[in-house]
Amino acid sequence: MCDLKGEHLRICPQGYTCCTSEMEENLANRSRAELETALRDSSRVLQAMLATQLRSFDDHFQHLLNDSERTLQGTFPGAFGELYTQNTRAFRDLYAELRLYYRGANLHLEETLAEFWARLLERLFKQLHPQLLLPDDYLDCLGKQAEALRPFGEAPRELRLRATRAFVAARSFVQGLGVASDVVRKVAQVPLGPECSRAVMKLVYCAHCLGVPGARPCPDYCRNVLKGCLANQADLDAEWRNLLDSMVLITDKFWGTSGVESVIGSVHTWLAEAINALQDNRDTLTAKVIQGCGNPKVNPQGSGPEEKRRRGKLAPRERPPSGVLEKLVSEAKAQLRDVQDFWISLPGTLCSEKMALSTASDDRCWNGMARGRYLPEVMGDGLANQINNPEVEVDITKPDMTIRQQIMQLKIMTNRLRSAYNGNDVDFQDASDDGSGSGSGDGCPDDRCGRGTSRKSSSSRTPLTHALPGLSEQEGQKTSAASCPQPPTFLLPLLLSLALTVARPRWR
């Protein structure tokens, strides 16, 4: 029997009530906690899907690169002898740099490849001419002529063009999955405001206080309450869709001779072609180097030139499709399309799946005041559309800053994906030059640097952006002297994580 006068109620309609002020306050806190828990539960399902996709693609891409390195280690010793065995560290370092780049280290991939070819040329030229004394200044001269001489043939240029596009596509797609998951996690931590808490209390428990616990909320009433409560979250919709569309689009770059699967799993074949070309052109190369750099001194302790040529017999470059990537992409496309409207459908989803809505006729449901028809129209999606929300007082001039920051993160990642679709790494897109030589010489265009890259320099790196799981900040920030300045990277907004108290779920 509800025989208390309702003047003390601050949320529920006043009148005879079953609830004291303390009960009303406790129920208000409980209803807010239940909604926050329901939001986190919905977000966790989406996070789990994105995390599963990320692990599956990451495992596959790394398997391709690891398989290429294992093939190199198993075939190059027999194919090239000491030309490989005395330079195993150079090859091992190249694969390590490729892994770092894929996992998010902000190194310049084209420059990394150029420096690898420059170091390899010096070492192999010395091995092919043990009878000559080749001091550093002579090797510097060799390096300056390398672009014109093309000592490794077309292999460095082809690897540079194809690997850059393939690695950019692979890492941007996996980064996109990671950014999407991170956005969902951070948004799920945004607490509900006091006006939302009042509206949810009125929606869920005021019927109990007024002695009509069997009256379930009217569907449109519930939608208006949650559209008001989740107005900021709905504003994620446009950039969320842009991100997922861009991720689906970038998968087009996974196929063909320049696709991810063909290129990442076949790095070793371009390395083999390069060494073969160097051996085939050794005499011509030597004559041109002597012509340009002069006659080197004879090494009295050196042996004669090695005449035996060992040619690599490796698998064809075109990798037969395993079917694994096709399956992964098909599943990812379907799942990403299914969650495109996640943010704007959230109020309806929570009302239908988590709330015990009325299934009776419209005049028997709880409308916030009593049993009866709910007359107000349902509001649109997003903050701006809540200006006339009849259930939640929303200040449309004060958007939630945490969610605004996540919208910016979505925009940044979408831009990276669109650049990757065109074959550009957004951090270094101004450094691309498809017309530059064989990649055996300098890795820094003259119009940007003013002088050639030092023979001793190694890859330039800047701090990590969008690093994949498993790559530490220390790995990404290894730096070394490089004469070429790095283009500026995007300034990422400060991301705030707001903690909230975990409450026991009370919603269905």
Side-chain angles (χ1 to χ4, degrees):
M1 181 87 180
C2 299
D3 55 5
L4 296 174
K5 292 183 178 182
E7 289 87 353
H8 60 280
L9 297 180
R10 293 186 297 172
I11 299 175
C12 296
Q14 293 187 351
Y16 284 104
T17 179
C18 305
C19 296
T20 64
S21 296
E22 184 180 2
M23 291 172 63
E24 185 185 43
E25 182 178 355
N26 290 338
L27 288 172
N29 292 333
R30 174 174 165 177
S31 62
R32 183 188 67 251
E34 288 169 1
L35 178 55
E36 289 175 340
T37 299
L39 284 169
R40 286 195 295 271
D41 289 345
S42 296
S43 298
R44 272 195 287 266
V45 173
L46 179 54
Q47 281 183 263
M49 181 274 286
L50 294 169
T52 299
Q53 291 288 351
L54 189 152
R55 284 193 299 271
S56 297
F57 278 97
D58 184 41
D59 288 347
H60 183 69
F61 293 148
Q62 295 212 63
H63 171 76
L64 291 175
L65 191 58
N66 292 341
D67 187 56
S68 172
E69 185 173 24
R70 281 192 296 268
T71 301
L72 177 143
Q73 293 169 344
T75 57
F76 274 39
F80 301 118
E82 291 184 352
L83 293 181
Y84 169 72
T85 58
Q86 291 187 12
N87 298 291
T88 55
R89 181 174 179 178
F91 291 100
R92 185 171 62 249
D93 288 349
L94 173 63
Y95 277 91
E97 295 276 68
L98 292 177
R99 287 189 187 90
L100 276 175
Y101 177 80
Y102 164 72
R103 296 194 64 78
N106 225 2
L107 59 82
H108 194 314
L109 185 57
E110 292 189 13
E111 185 176 300
T112 296
L113 291 170
E115 290 162 358
F116 164 76
W117 294 117
R119 291 192 299 269
L120 189 65
L121 174 61
E122 293 177 3
R123 297 180 67 86
L124 295 185
F125 193 82
K126 291 177 71 172
Q127 282 184 254
L128 291 172
H129 301 88
Q131 79 282 12
L132 301 177
L133 288 173
L134 300 172
D136 285 351
D137 57 349
Y138 198 91
L139 294 176
D140 285 336
C141 179
L142 169 65
K144 292 176 182 178
Q145 297 196 50
E147 185 173 354
L149 296 176
R150 297 182 183 270
F152 294 114
E154 291 298 316
R157 181 177 182 275
E158 288 191 23
L159 178 59
R160 174 174 59 84
L161 294 177
R162 299 191 189 192
T164 298
R165 291 180 177 271
F167 276 90
V168 166
R171 90 166 184 170
S172 64
F173 179 80
V174 178
Q175 285 172 348
L177 290 170
V179 169
S181 180
D182 200 46
V183 167
V184 174
R185 179 180 62 83
K186 287 184 168 66
V187 172
Q189 294 174 338
V190 175
L192 301 175
E195 294 300 325
C196 174
S197 298
R198 291 171 59 87
V200 173
M201 162 63 188
K202 190 175 177 182
L203 172 74
V204 179
Y205 288 119
C206 280
H208 295 257
C209 287
L210 269 63
V212 284
R216 297 182 177 183
C218 301
D220 286 354
Y221 173 36
C222 180
R223 293 187 183 95
N224 268 344
V225 170
L226 293 194
K227 278 178 180 283
C229 286
L230 304 178
N232 282 282
Q233 286 84 340
D235 282 347
L236 288 156
D237 178 69
E239 292 305 328
W240 177 261
R241 289 175 182 272
N242 287 339
L243 175 67
L244 300 193
D245 286 343
S246 298
M247 290 175 63
V248 169
L249 187 63
I250 198 68
T251 61
D252 292 344
K253 300 300 181 180
F254 289 179
W255 320 117
T257 56
S258 296
V260 170
E261 191 156 38
S262 297
V263 174
I264 295 180
S266 303
V267 172
H268 60 282
T269 61
W270 278 286
L271 302 180
E273 284 188 13
I275 298 176
N276 288 336
L278 181 67
Q279 292 184 106
D280 288 343
N281 301 322
R282 180 179 61 180
D283 295 340
T284 301
L285 173 65
T286 302
K288 290 183 178 180
V289 171
I290 291 176
Q291 182 180 3
C293 300
N295 282 304
K297 296 180 180 180
V298 175
N299 182 4
Q301 299 180 344
S303 58
E306 176 61 48
E307 295 296 336
K308 184 177 181 180
R309 299 184 181 184
R310 306 176 91 168
R311 296 297 302 270
K313 296 180 180 180
L314 304 178
R317 175 181 304 155
E318 191 72 31
R319 289 175 57 90
S322 63
V324 174
L325 189 57
E326 288 86 344
K327 182 180 179 182
L328 289 176
V329 169
S330 177
E331 292 175 351
K333 283 183 175 180
Q335 292 181 343
L336 292 176
R337 288 185 177 120
D338 285 345
V339 299
Q340 274 197 323
D341 64 347
F342 176 80
W343 299 108
I344 58 172
S345 66
L346 199 52
T349 300
L350 292 174
C351 283
S352 61
E353 295 182 1
K354 301 293 184 179
M355 285 290 294
L357 295 182
S358 173
T359 57
S361 60
D362 289 344
D363 59 355
R364 299 293 297 167
C365 58
W366 172 252
N367 64 15
M369 299 297 293
R371 284 184 186 269
R373 187 181 299 272
Y374 183 76
L375 298 178
E377 65 176 341
V378 177
M379 297 292 100
D381 300 309
L383 189 62
N385 286 318
Q386 307 311 309
I387 188 170
N388 294 317
N389 191 307
E391 309 305 335
V392 187
E393 185 177 341
V394 180
D395 188 346
I396 65 171
T397 67
K398 294 182 179 179
D400 183 89
M401 293 312 298
T402 297
I403 291 179
R404 297 295 127 176
Q405 288 157 1
Q406 298 316 303
I407 290 174
M408 181 59 68
Q409 289 301 303
L410 294 174
K411 288 182 178 180
I412 291 172
M413 191 64 239
T414 297
N415 185 67
R416 293 178 66 86
L417 284 159
R418 289 174 177 172
S419 295
Y421 185 82
N422 295 320
N424 299 318
D425 184 343
V426 74
D427 295 316
F428 296 106
Q429 54 188 332
D430 294 333
S432 262
D433 181 10
D434 290 351
S436 61
S438 70
S440 302
D442 297 341
C444 203
D446 291 340
D447 59 343
R448 290 186 59 239
C449 301
R451 59 185 179 87
T453 304
S454 167
R455 184 177 60 85
K456 300 294 184 181
S457 68
S458 59
S459 299
S460 303
R461 299 192 191 97
T462 54
L464 293 179
T465 58
H466 302 299
L468 301 183
L471 179 59
S472 68
E473 189 75 15
Q474 184 178 4
E475 287 177 295
Q477 289 183 333
K478 295 175 183 175
T479 55
S480 56
S483 61
C484 191
Q486 297 301 318
T489 60
F490 282 101
L491 179 62
L492 302 182
L494 178 63
L495 303 181
L496 303 177
S497 296
L498 301 177
L500 43 91
T501 303
V502 176
R504 291 185 59 191
R506 296 290 184 183
W507 294 33
R508 187 176 66 191

